[in-house]
Every structure is written in C-alpha cells, then in structure tokens.
Amino acid sequence: MNELHLEIGAALVYAGIFILIFALGEIIRYLQPSCPELSRKFIHFAGGLTALTFPRHIQSHWSILCLATGFAAVLVLAKMKGLLRSVHGIERKSYGAMLFPVSVYLLFLLGQSRTILYFVSILVMTVSDTLAAVIGDRYGSIRYEVEGVTKSLEGSTVFFFVTFLCVHISLLLMTPTGRLESVLMAFVIAVLITAFEAVSPTGSDNFFVPLGTFFILGNMMKQPLPAMLNRIGILLAMMVATAILTAKIKLFKTTGLIGMILVNYAAWTLAGVTWFLPLLLGQILLYGLVAYFVDKVTEGITGYQIKFLFYAVLLPVLLIFAANALHARLTFFLPYVTSITTTLAIIGYFFLAILKPCKDEWLRCLARNRALSILCCAGLSVAGVCLIPIFFHGQAVIVSLFIVFGATSFALCLFHFLFQKMGLGLQIVLRQRVRLLCSLIAVALVFLLQEFAFSS
C-alpha cells in the first residue's frame, strides 16, 4: 500500500509541476506577446526536462497514461475554447502540443526495461528541437519551406549537432558502449533524425523524432561495429538509388525525396530485407504508373512534397514500428504489405478516373468499366508488390495472396463509393485522407482474415 501511495503522490507532484510550467508559459506569453514561439518553446523545454525524470520516480506506465491523457485532454479543450495562448497562440497549424504527451507515454511504455532509450529519445525531442527553433528563428537566413511552414538551414544544422551530442554523450556516460561505436551511432541517428525533423509537417516531429530515435538507437545498440559500418553504406546507397529513381520524372520535391529515403532506411534496418522488398517494388510500380500516365491525365501527378508521402506511407511506417516493438513481424507482415498494395491500387484507379481523352481504346474501355478497373488495379498492385515478398515470406503463399487481393479490392470499392459520394476529384487533401482511411480498413480486414485462415 505504501508503494501505491508513493506512486500516486509522485503522479500528483508531477501534475502540479506541469500546471506550474503552463502557468509560467502564460506569464511569458503575457510579457512577450510579440514572440508567441518563446512561450511554446519554454513549455516544450521545461516539460521535456521534467519528463526525463519519470523513470526515477514513477514505476507504473498507468500513472504516466493518466498524466498524458489528462494533459492531452486539457490541451485539446483549450484549443477548442481558444485558451492557453502560450501553447496555441500561433497562426500556423500544429498538432505538436497534443502529440507531446502521446510520445512521452509511448516511450515510457516501450522503454521500461531500456531506460537509456527513453532518456535519449526525450532528450533529443526536448533539447535539439528547442535549440534548433530558437537559434533558427534568431539567426536563420537560408530558409526552406515544408508544406507552408518555413524552416532554416541554420536551425537544421543546430539540430544535427545537438542531436549528435545528446546521443554520443548519453551513450558514453550511461552505457558501456565504446567510443567509436558511440560516434557512429550518434552520427547515423543525427543524420536520420535531423531529416525527420526537417520534413515533419504540422508539428508531427514531436511524434516521429522521439519514436524514430528510440527504434533506431535500440536497433543499432544490438549491432557490432562491422554491422554499423554496413548500415552507413546502406544509407548512402539508398540516398543515391532513390534520387536516381525519382530524377527522370521528378515525382517528389526535395522534402518528399528525403522522406522516401527515411522510410526505405527504416524498413531495411528495423524490419529487414523481407519488409524492404515490398516497399521497393511499390516504389518501382508507382514510378512506372506516373511515367505512363503523366501526359494522359487532367491533373499534375509529379512534384509532390512531404504531405503526399505522409499520407501514403504513414500506415506502413506505423506497422513497421509496431512489428518491431511487439516482436511480431509474422503477424504484421501481410497487413504491412496490404497497406502498400491498397495505396498503389487507389492511386492507379484515380489516374484512370482523371484520364484525358486518348487514342488507346483499351485504356478508355478500362476507365469506363469501374468493376474491371478495380479488378485490374488491385491485381496489378498485388502482382507487382506481393508475389516475390510473400513467396520468400513462405506462409501459405496462395492463401496470403488471396487475402491481400480481397482486402485491396474491398478498399478500392470503398474508395470508389466515397469518391463518387463526396466528390473528391478536386479535394486533394481530403482525397488523400480518404485513401488512408480505406487502406486502414483493408489492413484491419487482413488482421481478421489471417487470424481466421491461419489459426484454423
């Protein structure tokens, strides 16, 4: 009972500390109304440093869940009511404040037996982000834009060096890791996480930066020195290969290209070659579709920034993280593959829906016959992405292909219905969200179907 009392007492003390931090943020906002980012970064920095001490005083993740849920609810309600100007008093759209407590809880839950991973991930999210924002705003002169949000090269450079130091010093002081290994891990993580931060839209860096740090560091700490050097070679090779693949048709702008490299590297290093292969085949199929349709459709289908990629790869990336965290790659593989096939099938179907008048009679017939176009798009996507990976995966190949094809076809039918019902032709962002929703439903369907098929 004494331990329970201590746990509750610690949680209440932390709740009081966070209330004090918000109150001080409101005072700073009142005193400096012309600098809305100052109060936000103070709360971010102070809240992050406070969260660093959670493992020292709190044992149960339920206590952190209560704190995170409570403060996330307060932040959401405050945003709806126009309160807490110290956090929400900015013109740009950002979900970073709400994602902060979510990330802290997930890191605490995943890192209960690996405190170093929790510590480094929170430290990077707190210190690197704050210093990069403050110095970038004050001294940044070389600017670049990510989905309407202006960032600076100087800020990103500060983020890189601070992240390198956070990882390197923490590993040297808190683990038996050797100096050279520590330098290599810090360098790779600094490169990747700086890229994550640079291309994360609408405050999503408060989710992807700490979770990316956690999984990449956790994976690299298991690797011997030769494997770390190999990882650096893989990263460089992926940068070159992705740039070459996209150069001719200019499918992505710089931010989208960086994002695609990060996704490729995450799939390879966190889940292995078997998980990277569907992603690679999916990219080749996507580039082929765009190259074929680029002059045949009524809408521009090249030059995408990170937002398009965000909606396209969010589900596969989350499934990679989940499979890695839960050590359940076998369970998550078919849903992961389905998340790729449904996205590509829907993209192909949309290209047919916005087809210009053309000389190819077979293409015009395919575009007019919706049932046939759904079957063809689903079949092409599954054949192009799934055949080889599922064969190497080796779990009931024919049954697995039927499950993925059925779920992909269902997602396409649902997208067709919503496309017609909601008039999504000109609503680009809404169309991407609907595509993501259809993919999510298909993934959930695959989880159910494979449980029924492989457990009986």
Side-chain angles (χ1 to χ4, degrees):
M1 184 62 90
N2 287 335
E3 291 183 2
L4 179 60
H5 288 162
L6 288 174
E7 186 83 4
I8 295 173
L12 291 174
V13 169
Y14 275 116
I17 292 172
F18 280 110
I19 291 171
L20 177 61
I21 290 171
F22 280 118
L24 291 174
E26 287 293 299
I27 293 173
I28 293 172
R29 169 72 185 196
Y30 177 77
L31 295 176
Q32 296 288 336
S34 61
C35 301
E37 291 290 346
L38 183 62
S39 60
R40 279 176 58 85
K41 289 307 171 185
F42 166 78
I43 293 173
H44 180 90
F45 186 74
L49 292 183
T50 303
L52 277 177
T53 65
F54 280 167
R56 180 81 174 176
H57 303 288
I58 293 181
Q59 305 300 318
S60 173
H61 72 90
W62 294 108
S63 300
I64 304 299
L65 179 61
C66 291
L67 286 170
T69 303
F71 281 101
V74 168
L75 288 167
V76 171
L77 290 173
K79 187 175 182 65
M80 294 171 60
K81 298 293 185 181
L83 303 174
L84 277 181
R85 303 293 295 168
S86 57
V87 176
H88 301 304
I90 52 173
E91 294 183 0
R92 59 185 173 86
K93 189 176 182 180
S94 176
Y95 301 105
M98 280 75 80
L99 289 173
F100 186 95
V102 174
S103 297
V104 170
Y105 171 70
L106 290 175
L107 291 171
F108 188 90
L109 178 66
L110 296 170
Q112 285 183 300
S113 60
R114 297 175 290 179
T115 306
I116 180 63
L117 300 182
Y118 172 86
F119 182 87
V120 172
S121 301
I122 295 292
L123 192 65
V124 169
M125 177 175 66
T126 301
V127 180
S128 299
D129 184 69
T130 302
L131 291 179
V134 171
I135 295 176
D137 287 344
R138 179 68 178 84
Y139 300 103
S141 58
I142 304 175
R143 304 283 179 172
Y144 62 93
E145 189 174 289
V146 180
E147 300 294 348
V149 178
T150 301
K151 299 188 179 186
S152 70
L153 181 61
E154 292 83 356
S156 295
T157 303
V158 169
F159 190 97
F160 170 83
F161 283 110
V162 175
T163 299
F164 177 87
L165 292 175
C166 286
V167 177
H168 180 49
I169 294 173
S170 298
L171 290 176
L172 285 181
L173 296 180
M174 300 175 67
T175 71
T177 305
R179 289 183 179 275
L180 180 57
E181 289 87 344
S182 175
V183 168
L184 289 174
M185 282 191 276
F187 174 76
V188 171
I189 290 170
V191 169
L192 295 171
I193 300 306
T194 300
F196 270 123
E197 193 278 335
V199 301
S200 296
T202 60
S204 58
D205 55 332
N206 275 359
F207 182 83
F208 289 109
V209 164
L211 269 295
T213 302
F214 183 95
F215 285 111
I216 295 170
L217 179 59
N219 188 271
M220 292 193 73
M221 288 181 71
K222 303 173 185 176
Q223 305 296 325
L225 181 59
M228 291 184 195
L229 295 172
N230 184 44
R231 293 289 177 85
I232 295 177
I234 290 171
L235 176 60
L236 294 174
M238 284 184 176
M239 292 171 66
V240 174
T242 307
I244 291 173
L245 276 173
T246 59
K248 185 176 180 180
I249 59 174
K250 295 181 173 58
L251 177 60
F252 295 118
K253 292 185 178 178
T254 303
T255 56
L257 182 62
I258 293 172
M260 197 67 251
I261 292 169
L262 291 173
V263 174
N264 287 335
Y265 184 81
W268 181 294
T269 56
L270 295 180
V273 178
T274 308
W275 284 57
F276 170 66
L277 188 56
L279 197 60
L280 175 63
L281 294 172
Q283 289 170 75
I284 294 172
L285 179 58
L286 176 61
Y287 300 146
L289 286 171
V290 171
Y292 182 77
F293 281 101
V294 66
D295 296 322
K296 296 180 172 65
V297 295
T298 58
E299 181 178 311
I301 56 174
T302 60
Y304 291 113
Q305 289 205 58
I306 191 65
K307 184 176 287 187
F308 169 85
L309 186 68
F310 177 81
Y311 286 110
V313 303
L314 176 62
L315 195 52
V317 168
L318 291 177
L319 290 170
I320 289 172
F321 283 165
N324 194 270
L326 300 174
H327 306 289
R329 293 181 187 176
L330 186 64
T331 303
F332 280 85
F333 183 72
L334 285 186
Y336 165 74
V337 170
T338 304
S339 70
I340 299 172
T341 60
T342 51
T343 297
L344 289 170
I346 290 172
I347 289 173
Y349 176 83
F350 175 70
F351 289 170
L352 289 173
I354 59 171
L355 192 69
K356 292 178 181 177
C358 64
K359 297 179 181 179
D360 298 326
E361 180 63 28
W362 70 271
L363 197 58
R364 294 202 306 270
C365 291
L366 185 62
R368 287 195 298 267
N369 191 324
R370 291 308 179 194
L372 184 59
S373 62
I374 286 173
L375 290 176
C376 287
C377 290
L380 177 63
S381 179
V382 172
V385 173
C386 293
L387 279 177
I388 298 175
I390 287 180
F391 177 79
F392 283 112
H393 192 62
Q395 185 184 24
V397 175
I398 301 300
V399 176
S400 297
L401 286 172
F402 269 109
I403 289 174
V404 175
F405 178 77
T408 303
S409 300
F410 178 79
L412 264 177
C413 292
L414 180 60
F415 180 81
H416 168 71
F417 172 77
L418 294 174
F419 186 85
Q420 300 295 328
K421 193 76 172 177
M422 302 172 67
L424 298 177
L426 299 176
Q427 302 183 62
I428 298 175
V429 175
L430 181 59
R431 190 172 68 232
Q432 292 172 2
R433 290 174 178 171
V434 170
R435 187 184 68 215
L436 176 61
L437 174 64
C438 294
S439 297
L440 180 62
I441 292 172
V443 165
L445 182 61
V446 170
F447 273 115
L448 294 174
L449 290 175
Q450 73 176 5
E451 182 67 24
F452 173 78
F454 299 139
S455 62
S456 57

